[in-house]
């Protein structure tokens, strides 16, 4: 009993010390106050443009010139109705469909190429491997718009101007250049798993499908999301290659709106975030589950 009481006393002393250490002194209160004040100010700075855009999309007049200060003078949901019904001059549903086709196909094809490239560069050793890595790192330092002239000439020769599949081809072909992040993830997978699988007679393809893919699910999800968002929000390349108004993507189509259609522009900009949000919530569970799939004790 005496030893138990001594242990209880020691525990109580430690608890008291911890509470004393967390005591809210004036100095600590000031630190907390200014820290949270700074965070609130930063959050407001970043959130204000989003709030302004959302409120602008409900403008009843539709023109930015009728705003009182930053915000519309009156609100209405007619802008969102017109966005999908009034398609004579500005066919937003068709633009949305074009963008969705390009983004989905580019994410699937480009994501597959990135994963395969990263896996090969991580797990296989061959002549010229380091040279390829160095070249891709150097080429990644140059902005992509520097190749716009060459891309336009190539698409002209292949008769893919004003073609959605031409954009899919360009996005997918350029995706493997950013394989380094995925390669770093594959490098962390223990070699003992691959060695055990090969001892059991598994081929390289079976090792990749049965072992690597379940473990790499978080990186696959990340790759798909990034491969989707790039063509989904890109403006320069679609503007360069798409000439017909019916073939526009959302980014190009919204930029073609008149000055009096600002509310429609804001509504289209708000609605374009919906697929990204749905995609994130649909795939985030795979990111969590993939962290423990196929785990091994070293």
């Amino acid at each position: 009993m005496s030893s138990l009481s001594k242990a209880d006393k020691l525990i109580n002393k430690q608890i008291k010390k911890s509470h004393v250490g967390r005591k809210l002194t004036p100095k600590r209160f000031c630190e907390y106050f200014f820290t949270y004040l700074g965070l609130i100010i930063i959050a407001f700075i970043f959130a204000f443009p989003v709030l302004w855009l959302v409120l602008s999309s409900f403008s009843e007049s539709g023109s930015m010139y009728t705003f009182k200060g930053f915000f519309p003078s009156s609100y209405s949901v007619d802008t969102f109705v017109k966005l999908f019904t009034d398609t004579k001059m500005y066919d937003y549903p068709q633009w949305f469909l074009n963008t969705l086709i390009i983004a989905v196909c580019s994410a699937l094809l480009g994501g597959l190429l990135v994963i395969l490239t990263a896996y090969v560069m991580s797990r296989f050793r061959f002549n010229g491997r380091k040279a390829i890595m160095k070249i891709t790192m150097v080429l990644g330092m140059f902005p992509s718009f520097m190749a716009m002239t060459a891309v336009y000439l190539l698409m002209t020769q292949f008769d893919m101007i004003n073609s959605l599949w031409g954009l899919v081809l360009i996005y997918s072909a350029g995706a493997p250049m950013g394989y380094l992040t995925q390669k770093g993830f594959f490098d962390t997978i223990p070699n003992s798993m691959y060695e055990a699988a090969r001892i059991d007679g598994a081929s390289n393809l079976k090792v990749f499908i049965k072992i690597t893919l379940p473990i790499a699910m978080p990186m696959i999800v990340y790759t798909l999301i990034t491969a989707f968002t790039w063509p989904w929000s890109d403006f320069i390349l679609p503007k360069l290659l798409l000439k017909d108004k019916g073939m526009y993507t959302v980014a190009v189509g919204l930029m073609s709106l008149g000055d009096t259609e600002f509310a429609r522009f804001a509504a289209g900009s708000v609605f374009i975030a919906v697929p990204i949000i749905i995609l994130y919530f649909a795939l985030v569970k795979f990111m969590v589950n993939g962290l423990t799939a196929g785990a091994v004790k070293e």
Side-chain angles (χ1 to χ4, degrees):
M1 292 294 293
S2 61
S3 60
L4 183 60
S5 61
K6 289 180 180 180
D8 291 337
K9 290 179 180 179
L10 290 174
I11 293 173
N12 291 331
K13 287 182 180 180
Q14 293 295 329
I15 293 174
K16 289 180 180 179
K17 288 182 179 179
S18 62
H19 282 295
V20 171
R22 292 198 299 267
K23 186 177 180 181
L24 189 61
T25 61
K27 180 180 178 181
R28 182 164 296 179
F29 173 79
C30 293
E31 291 178 355
Y32 288 161
F33 176 79
F34 288 107
T35 300
Y36 284 106
L37 180 63
L39 292 175
I40 291 172
I41 293 174
I42 293 173
F44 177 78
I45 291 173
F46 282 95
F48 181 79
V50 179
L51 176 63
W52 177 74
L53 186 68
V54 172
L55 293 178
S56 299
S57 65
F58 291 98
S59 173
E60 186 176 9
S61 64
S63 176
M64 187 171 60
Y65 300 110
T66 61
F67 284 16
K68 289 184 178 180
F70 284 104
F71 302 105
S73 56
S74 57
Y75 298 91
S76 174
V77 296
D78 292 341
T79 304
F80 285 91
V81 177
K82 288 174 58 180
L83 187 67
F84 291 96
T85 57
D86 185 11
T87 59
K88 291 182 180 180
M89 290 186 62
Y90 308 112
D91 195 352
Y92 184 84
Q94 184 62 48
W95 299 343
F96 191 90
L97 180 62
N98 295 340
T99 311
L100 188 63
I101 293 173
I102 294 172
V104 171
C105 295
S106 300
L108 295 177
L109 182 57
L112 176 63
L113 294 176
V114 172
I115 294 298
L116 292 177
T117 303
Y119 180 74
V120 170
M121 298 299 290
S122 174
R123 291 299 168 184
F124 294 93
R125 300 295 182 268
F126 50 89
N127 294 331
R129 174 177 170 272
K130 291 185 177 180
I132 294 174
M133 293 177 60
K134 292 178 180 178
I135 291 173
T136 53
M137 290 181 65
V138 172
L139 292 178
M141 298 171 61
F142 297 95
S144 58
F145 66 83
M146 291 181 62
M148 289 294 106
T149 304
V151 168
Y152 184 81
L153 293 176
L154 287 174
M155 291 296 103
T156 302
Q157 296 298 319
F158 287 107
D159 195 22
M160 285 189 174
I161 297 295
N162 205 38
S163 171
L164 300 182
W165 297 112
L167 286 172
V168 172
L169 179 62
I170 295 173
Y171 288 130
S172 302
M177 293 291 293
Y179 72 93
L180 291 175
T181 303
Q182 289 78 2
K183 176 187 175 298
F185 184 90
F186 287 132
D187 289 341
T188 62
I189 300 177
N191 286 321
S192 58
M193 302 181 65
Y194 295 101
E195 294 172 358
R198 291 191 180 96
I199 290 174
D200 292 337
S203 62
N204 288 327
L205 179 61
K206 193 170 184 179
V207 169
F208 176 72
I209 295 175
K210 296 293 185 180
I211 297 178
T212 305
L213 291 184
I215 299 175
M217 190 58 67
M219 184 51 63
I220 294 174
V221 172
Y222 164 80
T223 303
L224 290 177
I225 292 176
T226 53
F228 181 89
T229 54
W230 178 28
W232 183 258
S233 58
D234 188 28
F235 171 78
I236 297 178
L237 195 58
K239 180 63 176 178
L240 178 69
L241 298 181
L242 300 179
K243 305 302 180 182
D244 187 2
K245 201 169 185 179
M247 302 294 292
Y248 280 177
T249 61
V250 172
V252 179
L254 291 179
M255 289 300 296
S256 67
L257 297 179
D259 295 337
T260 59
E261 298 289 343
F262 180 76
R264 184 181 296 201
F265 172 86
S269 302
V270 171
F271 193 81
I272 200 175
V274 173
I276 302 296
I277 297 173
I278 294 175
L279 184 66
Y280 173 78
F281 282 106
L283 298 179
V284 67
K285 62 180 180 180
F286 296 104
M287 297 184 68
V288 177
N289 295 337
L291 293 174
T292 56
V296 62
K297 183 178 180 181
E298 291 289 339

